Amino acid sequence: MVDLSIMLAGFSDAFTVNNILFVLFGVLVGQLVGAIPGIGPIMAMAIAIPFTFGLNPLAAIGFLVGVNKGGLVGGAVPAILMNTPGTPDAAATALDGFPLAQQGKPLKATKMALFSSITGDTISDIVLITVSAPLAILALKMGPIEVFALMIFTFSILAGLLDKSLAKGVIAVLLGLLFATVGTSPEDYTPRLIFNHYEFYDGLPLPSVAIGMLAVAEIVRRLARPDGKLRAAISHINSNNPDDARVSWAEYWGCRFTMLRGAAIGTFLGALPGVGSTAAAFMSYASAKHASKDPDSFGKGNLHGIAAAESANSAVMGANLIPLLTLGIPGSVGAALIISAFMIHGIQPGPLLFEEQGQLIYGLFGSMIIANFCNLWLGQLGLRLWVKVVSAPESIIFVSAILLCIVGIYMSTGGLVGVYVMLFFAALGYLMTSFGYSVILFIIAFFLEPRLETSLSQSLVLLNGDVYKVVYHPVAMVLLLLAAVTLFWFVRKSIQATPTTDLA
Amino acid sequence: MFVALGLLLYFFIIPEQTDPASSMSFLAPATVPKFVASVLALMGAHLLWKPSSINKTAWKNLPRAALILAIILSGVMLMSWWGFIMAAPALALMLVWQMGERRPLWVGLTVILMPILVWLLVVFVLDRVLP
């Protein structure tokens, strides 16, 4: 168990002026980029990671957490004002937010989104802080065989949940695994698939892969739109009634059960690797509508609709860190990027993190709480400003983002080779997204492969090459059985689904 | 396509690009890549047998996406010859022009101001070098 003094030291690290300023700056950047449709917190995090290289780990990770949390709030602004979610998570928010804005209440809608987002996020953070340390202790009792079985189980969940087509999901995972094998083999340490390029001896750089597939590929996808038009600015009306520009306590309190339900759904789904915040937001929205006495008002500007979607999508963020901090398994792209940041700073995520870097982890928890306060404060101040930001032209935003990606990767990999790798993966990411292969699955598989192969190798040594001896490891057996059941369930679901054949 | 890729990897690329296993190892360097290649071929065969839907606009946008990637690639190559401060404005100009931006203020901000800001940030604030 982590010592109380380490917890307190971690929290006191978080509450230093330097760290608070980095978190505040992260939230500011996150809200700003979240408000711009097409950029979003994931791309902003991906671009920002190499720039945090020179910072101390807590400031760097606090900044990135700030970007992620700020982005969730900022993403609601274009969803409400333009019916164009800044992030996919905010799509459900647009269902009631946009009609409310059209009724002359854009500020009421954005403020409700802000308050419910922070409520859901805080509840999820509290769950993370309380359950992650005990779970990490449990995870530490697992040997290589159990870890390998857990990896198999994780992959079985990921493949089914993230793709409509199971085959495409598996192919995305396989491609991630394949590219991760470039470098050296974990058992013999001999070069593998490097094609005589010894700069790849340590494997393909994770920042190049992640930024190429998530940021550059997305920018290229947006720039390659067939219309080729620059986005238009927003136009909306503001009511003259001051009550339409604020959320009263009665209105907030009236949504408490909706927000609690949303936070519970978001936290539960967020703790499962691979279930995105978009799914949580829509599930919460549907359950709020189902529980409502007036379900017909949903979709016409009901505050409960905004509260349900925002509390759930924000709750996913904290819960996503549960598998990351306890098992080293990223639950989402945001979590995978936080892993990249950990690795850039020489920290290996996983169950040993609490033992080896307990102070840093509790510092991270403190930073998350600070980020929530910053989000509330900056959100109150900045919402009017973000409304203006929504209308910034894409030309300056995307070109600047491309330059930052190139410079960031150049700095983190120490040369242009990393930039060429980034461009290769941007092309691959573009193709995968265009043809329906999940980039998220690819990146998570790419990250997990070294651990999967190492644990397989260690398991084979422990079992002396006799795989049947796995029956003497009950936890591993249960996990493998669960993996088999999950895979069977998804395969059956995939077979039952009617495919639409269209290869034009 | 995945069938061909899987078979090519399994029979030619992986054996060529991996060393044989040592006598002590349980997991040869080629085992995982070969397993991946074989399942890739199987999944490719599955997609041939039961194809899933493909967004038609994906093919339509492909040449434009290739052009944008080629512009970025040429910009990066220019950086290796001319350095960031000379090549970044050229790259930015090619991209904004391709996007259809013609307003002088936004073109100027993007092509001149942004590369200078990035350069100042990296060289003076972060104290790092650029190509």
Side-chain angles (χ1 to χ4, degrees):
Chain A
M1 190 69 195
V2 179
D3 206 294
L4 185 65
S5 62
I6 291 176
M7 289 184 195
L8 293 175
F11 279 114
S12 65
D13 284 351
F15 285 89
T16 57
V17 177
N18 183 50
N19 192 61
I20 292 172
L21 286 176
F22 271 109
V23 175
L24 185 70
F25 184 53
V27 171
L28 181 77
V29 172
Q31 288 195 1
L32 175 75
V33 295
I36 303 167
I39 291 278
I42 295 300
M43 200 190 288
M45 277 175 76
I47 295 168
I49 284 172
F51 290 91
T52 63
F53 191 64
L55 302 177
N56 78 55
L58 181 58
I61 294 161
F63 169 73
L64 294 172
V65 165
V67 173
N68 203 355
K69 283 178 181 269
L72 289 173
V73 169
V77 175
I80 289 166
L81 299 180
M82 299 164 67
N83 207 16
T84 309
T87 56
D89 329 66
T93 310
L95 295 176
D96 276 285
F98 185 61
L100 208 58
Q102 284 185 312
Q103 290 162 25
K105 301 172 188 171
L107 275 172
K108 186 190 267 297
T110 45
K111 282 184 179 174
M112 190 66 218
L114 171 71
F115 298 145
S116 39
S117 175
I118 288 162
T119 307
D121 203 355
T122 308
I123 292 171
S124 154
D125 288 351
I126 292 167
V127 173
L128 166 75
I129 294 167
T130 39
V131 308
S132 54
L135 276 177
I137 293 168
L138 202 67
L140 269 179
K141 298 195 185 305
M142 294 164 73
I145 300 168
E146 286 78 15
V147 170
F148 176 70
L150 181 72
M151 294 279 163
I152 299 289
F153 177 54
T154 306
F155 278 118
S156 70
I157 294 178
L158 289 176
L161 283 175
L162 285 176
D163 264 303
K164 284 174 196 157
S165 157
L166 186 73
K168 284 187 173 180
V170 175
I171 287 173
V173 169
L174 292 169
L175 290 175
L177 293 175
L178 186 70
F179 281 106
T181 59
V182 173
T184 45
S185 69
E187 203 168 315
D188 294 290
Y189 294 99
T190 52
R192 185 169 64 177
L193 298 169
I194 63 169
F195 296 89
N196 295 325
H197 287 277
Y198 284 91
E199 53 269 42
F200 300 138
Y201 199 80
D202 292 328
L204 296 166
L206 182 60
S208 299
V209 176
I211 293 174
M213 296 197 91
L214 297 173
V216 183
E218 180 60 22
I219 295 170
V220 170
R221 194 179 67 76
R222 288 192 169 252
L223 295 184
R225 274 189 305 239
D227 57 4
K229 285 177 192 159
L230 296 166
R231 294 273 123 174
I234 54 159
S235 58
H236 59 84
I237 35 160
N238 266 310
S239 144
N240 291 324
N241 184 353
D243 282 347
D244 289 343
R246 64 188 183 92
V247 174
S248 67
W249 171 253
E251 283 169 326
Y252 174 80
W253 191 243
C255 293
R256 64 192 184 281
F257 293 119
T258 306
M259 286 187 284
L260 276 173
R261 195 187 303 111
I265 290 171
T267 306
F268 176 71
L269 293 184
L272 298 175
V275 188
S277 40
T278 313
F282 278 102
M283 199 179 280
S284 171
Y285 185 87
S287 71
K289 189 176 175 181
H290 184 71
S292 172
K293 287 174 187 161
D294 183 18
D296 291 341
S297 65
F298 277 71
K300 294 171 186 162
N302 190 327
L303 282 178
H304 285 267
I306 301 173
E310 281 296 309
S311 58
N313 74 28
S314 297
V316 170
M317 199 264 145
N320 262 178
L321 295 185
I322 296 173
L324 187 151
L325 297 177
T326 54
L327 303 163
I329 295 171
S332 65
V333 184
L337 289 172
I338 289 176
I339 279 195
S340 318
F342 272 117
M343 293 175 82
I344 279 182
H345 291 278
I347 301 158
Q348 180 64 42
L352 282 172
L353 205 55
F354 277 86
E355 253 187 34
E356 292 171 354
Q357 301 282 345
Q359 193 168 332
L360 176 71
I361 296 306
Y362 281 92
L364 168 66
F365 291 159
S367 299
M368 293 174 81
I369 301 293
I370 294 167
N372 291 348
F373 281 105
C374 293
N375 238 339
L376 181 63
W377 181 64
L378 272 178
Q380 292 269 49
L381 286 177
L383 279 177
R384 284 169 202 272
L385 178 67
W386 309 144
V387 171
K388 301 261 185 287
V389 165
V390 171
S391 53
E394 287 182 343
S395 54
I396 190 162
I397 289 159
F398 287 141
V399 174
S400 310
I402 290 279
L403 289 179
L404 288 170
C405 288
I406 293 171
V407 167
I409 289 299
Y410 178 82
M411 287 197 299
S412 71
T413 59
L416 283 173
V417 173
V419 181
Y420 291 123
V421 173
M422 175 186 83
L423 292 179
F424 171 80
F425 281 97
L428 182 66
Y430 175 83
L431 289 172
M432 285 180 68
T433 311
S434 301
F435 293 103
Y437 296 87
S438 167
V439 166
I440 301 168
L441 274 176
F442 177 98
I443 289 178
I444 294 178
F446 180 84
F447 170 76
L448 290 179
E449 194 280 338
R451 216 168 147 206
L452 175 82
E453 197 173 350
T454 306
S455 59
L456 172 63
S457 165
Q458 289 170 340
S459 303
L460 287 171
V461 172
L462 284 172
L463 299 172
N464 204 19
D466 183 2
V467 288
Y468 295 108
K469 283 186 188 164
V470 77
V471 294
Y472 299 114
H473 297 264
V475 176
M477 278 305 292
V478 169
L479 287 167
L480 287 172
L481 277 173
L482 279 173
V485 170
T486 314
L487 209 60
F488 172 75
W489 190 71
F490 285 129
V491 169
R492 208 180 64 165
K493 211 171 105 179
S494 174
I495 291 167
Q496 281 171 351
T498 320
T500 31
T501 309
D502 179 8
L503 291 171
Chain B
M1 188 187 79
F2 288 109
V3 178
L5 178 67
L7 294 175
L8 192 71
L9 281 163
Y10 192 94
F11 290 107
F12 300 102
I13 299 174
I14 294 169
E16 180 67 28
Q17 290 293 323
T18 49
D19 286 346
S22 68
S23 56
M24 297 293 287
S25 64
F26 284 101
L27 193 66
T31 307
V32 171
K34 275 192 163 183
F35 172 76
V36 169
S38 51
V39 183
L40 196 62
L42 280 176
M43 285 295 134
H46 180 270
L47 275 182
L48 279 177
W49 171 58
K50 202 177 172 184
S52 63
S53 63
I54 287 177
N55 184 0
K56 280 180 185 172
T57 56
W59 289 109
K60 222 166 86 180
N61 295 351
L62 213 53
R64 204 171 146 88
L67 173 71
I68 291 158
L69 274 167
I71 290 174
I72 302 171
L73 180 67
S74 58
V76 175
M77 290 167 84
L78 281 180
M79 275 180 206
S80 64
W81 300 324
W82 297 351
F84 178 84
I85 203 70
M86 296 294 286
L91 170 61
L93 182 63
M94 286 191 282
L95 285 173
V96 287
W97 206 259
Q98 196 278 332
M99 286 172 80
E101 180 64 84
R102 300 290 184 271
R103 290 168 292 183
L105 174 70
W106 291 115
V107 172
L109 280 175
T110 315
V111 173
I112 299 165
L113 190 67
M114 279 317 295
I116 291 175
L117 282 178
V118 173
W119 184 75
L120 289 173
L121 171 74
V122 175
V123 175
F124 288 100
V125 180
L126 299 173
D127 198 21
R128 308 288 294 275
V129 288
L130 278 176

